[in-house]
Amino acid sequence: MQSMTLDPPNNARAERLREAIEEGPLRAFEIAERLHASRTSVLNWKKRGAINVDNLRGLADITGYRFWWLAFGEGPKKIGDEKPGGQHIIQSDNTARLSPEHAHLIDVLNQASQSGLLNETMARSLASFLQEMIKNRTLFDK
């Protein structure tokens, strides 16, 4: 695995990684555990900005920050930061193309699942809740 190069001259990538690690839902040592990295590696990501692509993808999934923003500082910063009417595409799921709300729901579920915050029991309960809500959709129709 290769590390990504640093952003000259002030290492803006390190600043973006620091923000994601410090503002994300997990502490640095939990991120290290989930990504099978050392705690020192996570600290170095924050300090130097050098991170391999696999860990960067994992960090994006765990924190809710977008991969492209973390890597290059371009595009929306976080899941849900898209402009209204923006295109939301998740390659493996056509549901995300239905509306920004559908895409946001899928992004939130993905982030919670990848970070380990949405466990199997919670996922099962949430799915049951949604199925009941759909069954009783007349309560929500306007």
Side-chain angles (χ1 to χ4, degrees):
M1 293 188 276
Q2 293 184 344
S3 293
M4 301 185 82
T5 59
L6 301 179
D7 290 342
N10 63 357
N11 198 357
R13 180 177 299 122
E15 292 174 22
R16 293 189 301 271
L17 295 176
R18 185 177 316 109
E19 178 182 333
I21 292 165
E22 292 176 359
E23 301 296 324
L26 300 177
R27 290 180 261 170
F29 78 90
E30 294 171 310
I31 292 170
E33 287 175 2
R34 299 226 196 254
L35 297 179
H36 305 289
S38 69
R39 292 179 186 184
T40 305
S41 292
V42 176
L43 294 175
N44 283 327
W45 301 341
K46 290 170 42 174
K47 184 177 180 180
R48 297 189 180 106
I51 184 172
N52 70 47
V53 174
D54 291 335
N55 284 331
L56 186 60
R57 286 186 208 288
L59 183 64
D61 287 341
I62 288 170
T63 62
Y65 282 75
R66 297 252 181 222
F67 173 85
W68 203 256
W69 184 82
L70 288 172
F72 306 107
E74 298 173 0
K77 181 191 289 192
K78 291 174 137 184
I79 293 171
D81 282 355
E82 297 82 3
K83 294 177 183 173
Q87 197 169 27
H88 302 262
I89 297 175
I90 297 176
Q91 301 270 342
S92 64
D93 197 337
N94 289 330
T95 303
R97 294 186 179 130
L98 294 175
S99 74
E101 293 76 16
H102 286 84
H104 182 67
L105 175 60
I106 291 168
D107 282 341
V108 169
L109 288 171
N110 185 47
Q111 176 192 354
S113 297
Q114 293 296 322
S115 68
L117 297 173
L118 180 65
N119 63 33
E120 289 178 19
T121 303
M122 292 169 62
R124 190 173 19 264
S125 296
L126 182 57
S128 295
F129 170 77
L130 290 172
Q131 286 172 332
E132 282 301 313
M133 197 169 101
I134 291 165
K135 252 194 260 182
N136 299 312
R137 68 182 175 269
T138 56
L139 298 173
F140 302 99
D141 290 344
K142 292 184 178 183

